[in-house]
Amino acid sequence: MAASSDDLLLPVPVPESLAATYLVPVVPPDAAVPEALDAVDRLGDRLSRPVRDLTRQMLGSPLMTVQTRPVDRLPELPPDLLAAFGATGGQLARLRTAQRCVVVQASYRPGWPPAHEWAARAVGAALADALDVDLIDLFGLQFLDPAGALRSLPDADGRIRLVDWVLVPYSPDDDGLWFTTKGLRRFGLLELQAQQVPPRFVRAWGAIMTGTARRLLRIWTEALAEPEPPAFVQLPVNLPVSGHDIAVAYGNQDRHDSAGSALLRIVLDPSTDPEADSFLTLRPPPQVADSDAGDYFTQVCGELFGAGQPEIHYARQSDAMAQAITTARRSLGEVRARFLARALGGQLLVKYGLTAPDGHEYVWASVTGWPHPGRIHAASTVDAVCDPTVRVGSPVEVDAADVVDWALISGDRMVEGGWTESVLDQGDRGPTGR
């Protein structure tokens, strides 16, 4: 009896092992580098117990190494790519002045938990926190501040936000937008791609790519949970993706959207260049011609988000808002230096996100102290709706990773910053203040 189209499977090879590498620039040059285990222990409850236990086990095994090396003995990191993935001028300058880097490397077999990533990022963040610098994720070519890196690690229940580990870059193509993922290879899985995506669905399709990655990663890791890891994992060719998949990928674990699921077809596109990546390509189901992919993807967005594409609380912001947030975050290091040098000439405010039942509430706070790059002492300028403890004038401690904007106030005028407010004035529906 012939298999139905719903039963078709795609065999994807499983790599023998996976590796993670994080770099911690040693600045200033004569700074003393603490022992990795001591740095991890000093984090206390900033690291969940499961991650702390896993990290200690990895540190005590040959699967992890922590070495301080001269920078001139390391491969040169391309500054243009680092900048493209969000590096600020200050971060690049500090990297250029560093004479040594701590290199944290870990390897592990594919499966769950991805011990190589959890442990290497935890150690890298702990050392960066102790040295008061950022760390570099070599896979993503990204600078990470220690607070943000720690927040991306699993909580006490082992849960993560996949968006902290998988990016979804896109670029214009002849027939629309070309989307890819960057991060699934951390877990041994091939990256996803989709082409012919209508430009008006940038936010929605970015969310769909992330939700699809979450669904595939769950199938992948469940298949690798067998006592004897398989050489191939059979992925379904026809994959349903739901609003719940998207919500969980964005950290809304308890959200169950009423929208039904949409069907996508997965095709293996192997690279003919050994130096290039192979992809799992998202296409319409067999009954829809590939040439009609754009129309089908429009239908998928409607099925998951409804006609008219309402605001997606857990999706990425629009291009303008995303650029505004990126601009603000890139300059946080510089504005902190000016704040500490008392060279601002006005009152510094930061806008940050509070977790709300349906997403986030974004509020402003007046900075009173900034002792560490990842932690800001401030006083709230508003009464928050979602958190009754955040009231006008109440002290708050803000994670720099939660900051989406900053502004300098002189008298009653905003004289610098406030990029998200400028976008809002033009009608964008991204993060709003109160």
Side-chain angles (χ1 to χ4, degrees):
M1 180 175 176
S4 69
S5 61
D6 291 341
D7 297 329
L8 295 177
L9 298 172
L10 179 67
V12 176
V14 178
E16 291 185 3
S17 66
L18 301 171
T21 303
Y22 290 82
L23 304 180
V24 181
V26 180
V27 181
D30 58 350
V33 179
E35 292 293 329
L37 188 57
D38 292 341
V40 169
D41 287 344
R42 280 202 292 267
L43 290 175
D45 59 7
R46 296 175 64 196
L47 203 62
S48 70
R49 182 171 180 176
V51 176
R52 184 170 61 251
D53 291 346
L54 173 65
T55 302
R56 291 176 67 91
Q57 291 172 13
M58 290 287 285
L59 278 170
S61 78
L63 297 174
M64 173 175 275
T65 60
V66 181
Q67 299 176 329
T68 302
R69 301 179 186 172
V71 168
D72 57 10
R73 295 187 183 179
L74 298 173
E76 184 176 357
L77 298 179
D80 53 340
L81 286 180
L82 288 169
F85 283 101
T88 67
Q91 289 170 327
L92 293 174
R94 286 188 288 275
L95 179 60
R96 285 193 299 269
T97 61
Q99 298 176 11
R100 297 177 294 155
C101 271
V102 182
V103 182
V104 182
Q105 293 181 304
S107 61
Y108 201 64
R109 62 175 179 82
W112 202 265
H116 60 296
E117 281 288 354
W118 290 182
R121 182 170 289 196
V123 171
L127 291 170
D129 185 76
L131 292 169
D132 198 14
V133 295
D134 294 329
L135 66 153
I136 302 170
D137 170 16
L138 210 56
F139 176 90
L141 282 178
Q142 281 188 301
F143 279 88
L144 304 175
D145 72 271
L150 292 172
R151 290 180 66 250
S152 72
L153 292 166
D155 62 16
D157 296 320
R159 300 178 300 187
I160 63 166
R161 297 188 337 145
L162 193 60
V163 290
D164 293 330
W165 296 87
V166 177
L167 303 175
V168 185
Y170 63 90
S171 58
D173 207 348
D174 292 340
D175 300 313
L177 296 178
W178 173 36
F179 280 76
T180 61
T181 60
K182 183 174 178 59
L184 285 177
R185 283 196 295 113
R186 297 180 190 272
F187 310 100
L189 191 56
L190 297 178
E191 302 290 358
L192 298 176
Q193 70 172 356
Q195 296 168 295
Q196 302 182 45
V197 178
R200 66 184 182 278
F201 294 114
V202 168
R203 281 195 297 168
W205 198 258
I208 290 168
M209 291 284 287
T210 309
T212 304
R214 181 259 174 185
R215 172 63 70 95
L216 282 175
L217 187 57
R218 182 173 180 178
I219 295 170
W220 177 259
T221 54
E222 286 178 351
L224 295 176
E226 300 295 330
E228 194 66 34
F232 292 84
V233 168
Q234 302 284 350
L235 298 178
V237 169
N238 297 301
L239 184 75
V241 180
S242 69
H244 180 63
D245 289 319
I246 298 170
V248 172
Y250 280 82
N252 296 300
Q253 306 286 343
D254 300 323
R255 182 168 179 164
H256 295 267
D257 287 352
S258 58
S261 63
L263 191 65
L264 295 168
R265 178 165 58 105
I266 301 175
V267 177
L268 176 61
D269 277 337
S271 172
T272 57
D273 181 355
E275 300 297 322
D277 291 332
S278 298
F279 284 97
L280 297 174
T281 301
L282 301 182
R283 293 182 181 172
Q287 63 269 26
V288 179
D290 285 344
S291 58
D292 296 329
D295 291 338
Y296 184 76
F297 293 158
T298 297
Q299 177 185 330
V300 168
C301 292
E303 289 175 356
L304 288 173
F305 302 119
Q309 192 192 344
E311 182 178 1
I312 305 161
H313 292 287
Y314 41 78
R316 290 179 176 83
Q317 297 84 16
S318 70
D319 287 349
M321 184 59 73
Q323 183 59 50
I325 295 172
T326 298
T327 301
R329 285 177 169 166
R330 281 180 176 174
S331 53
L332 275 180
E334 283 81 358
V335 79
R336 175 179 181 256
R338 290 165 58 194
F339 174 84
L340 295 176
R342 299 183 180 180
L344 288 174
Q347 179 58 49
L348 179 62
L349 306 182
V350 292
K351 182 194 279 190
Y352 66 104
L354 296 170
T355 302
D358 60 349
H360 287 85
E361 179 184 358
Y362 292 89
V363 296
W364 286 95
S366 177
V367 177
T368 57
W370 204 334
H372 185 281
R375 292 189 294 277
I376 304 170
H377 298 164
S380 181
T381 64
V382 299
D383 291 338
V385 173
C386 69
D387 188 341
T389 68
V390 177
R391 290 292 177 262
V392 174
S394 64
V396 292
E397 184 165 306
V398 180
D399 252 341
D402 293 332
V403 172
V404 298
D405 202 355
W406 62 266
L408 186 61
I409 304 298
S410 180
D412 59 355
R413 293 189 309 111
M414 184 182 295
V415 296
E416 190 176 349
W419 293 274
T420 62
E421 296 300 307
S422 297
V423 175
L424 290 169
D425 289 342
Q426 298 169 14
D428 193 277
R429 295 289 297 171
T432 60
R434 294 191 57 82

